[in-house]
Amino acid sequence: MRTAESVIVRKSPGELEAMEEGGRITSSCLKMLSENVRAGVTTRELDRLAEEFIQDHGGKPEFKGYQGFPASICASPNAMIVHGIPGSYRLKDGDIISLDVGVRYRGFVTDSATTVAVGEVPEDAAGLLAVTRECFAEAAEQVRADNRLGDIGHAIQSVAEARGYGVVRDLVSHGVGRKMHEDPQIPNYGSPGTGPPLMPGMVFAIEPMITLGGYEIRMSEWDGWSIYTADGSLSAHYEHTVAVTEHGPRILTNGA
Ligand code: MG
Ligand code: MG
């Protein structure tokens, strides 16, 4: 049996630099998309903007064609958690919309997502967006040499559940590098001090998916991609690509 440690690929300083350059494209694309979120815009229009932006900056939209995925971004409104296919859905005031972008650049993938309010949103939705960012921030703080993998999920679960939010369990954070999904899979819940130790050069896409209800999910039978909360509650998603370095966590998709 191979151990979990043996399959977590560590990136060299030069490789991390390439990822940081690619990460700037990813983060500026997400910033551009967020600025274009408004009532009346379709998710297909956002997808087209993203595809042009990524290509104009010398990157490749990694999602397009990934296991047959037909678009360059995932766009997941309201009770849809992740993997929404952009299309004719027209954003309206009060929606929240998760936008997920993956860019391949110089051979490496960076992966980042944010959830944006469309116009004025109800107080509970605004609270959900805030707590999801906070879950990410607490988790990113754990991305340090000599911490263990379980510390990441534990941080997310602690922040969310202490305030009564649900943590989606069937979808995970993950290693990222030459492939979009590398080992390890990182549950967004768990016990501190467990799992393999973190070492410089490891890179993870940390992505809490938090709900106003429970953690069960439902896959769309209609398109085979979109994943919703089973109870129909609102869900938010926030993600960055984060490296373990000698000097602590380094967020590679924060450069916008
Ligand atoms: Mg993503
Ligand atoms: Mg990801």
Side-chain angles (χ1 to χ4, degrees), residues 55 80 84 93 138 148 173 224:
Q55 287 170 346
M80 197 190 288
D93 271 328
E138 288 293 322
R148 287 179 177 268
S173 297

Side-chain angles (χ1 to χ4, degrees), residues 7-210:
V7 294
I8 304 178
V9 179
R10 295 168 70 183
K11 283 76 179 174
S12 70
E15 290 172 333
L16 286 184
E17 262 172 47
M19 290 188 79
E20 193 156 44
E21 269 184 49
R24 275 195 282 273
I25 303 172
T26 305
S27 56
S28 43
C29 180
L30 263 183
K31 181 164 181 274
M32 177 279 294
L33 289 176
S34 300
E35 289 164 357
N36 278 278
V37 163
R38 68 181 75 87
V41 170
T42 66
T43 52
R44 180 179 289 120
E45 288 166 332
L46 295 175
D47 182 62
R48 184 181 49 78
L49 288 173
E51 182 164 330
E52 284 176 11
F53 184 96
I54 293 166
Q55 287 170 346
D56 286 350
H57 288 76
K60 175 185 166 296
E62 179 69 6
F63 296 174
K64 196 159 197 180
Y66 183 86
Q67 296 180 357
F69 191 78
S72 292
I73 63 169
C74 298
S76 311
N78 301 326
M80 197 190 288
I81 305 168
V82 285
H83 301 172
I85 300 174
S88 57
Y89 184 80
R90 205 172 281 283
L91 299 178
K92 58 185 191 308
D93 271 328
D95 279 352
I96 59 172
I97 175 85
S98 157
L99 301 167
D100 195 345
V101 173
V103 173
R104 180 174 291 278
Y105 182 78
R106 288 176 58 190
F108 288 90
V109 178
T110 49
D111 188 7
S112 185
T114 190
T115 303
V116 182
V118 185
E120 287 287 309
V121 299
E123 206 171 305
D124 59 351
L128 175 66
L129 300 189
V131 86
T132 306
R133 280 174 180 257
E134 200 179 322
C135 285
F136 167 79
E138 288 293 322
E141 269 304 304
Q142 302 301 318
V143 181
R144 298 176 179 279
D146 299 329
N147 273 3
R148 287 179 177 268
L149 205 62
D151 296 329
I152 296 173
H154 176 71
I156 292 169
Q157 184 177 22
S158 302
V159 171
E161 291 185 354
R163 304 202 211 144
Y165 293 88
V167 179
V168 172
R169 297 185 169 219
D170 292 340
L171 299 157
V172 295
S173 297
H174 55 92
V176 58
R178 290 196 183 274
K179 291 189 294 179
M180 178 157 66
H181 292 122
E182 295 187 349
D183 286 338
Q185 294 198 358
I186 311 171
N188 291 316
Y189 63 95
S191 304
T194 61
L198 306 186
M199 292 182 234
M202 293 179 175
V203 185
F204 308 122
I206 309 282
E207 51 180 316
M209 289 154 267
I210 307 298

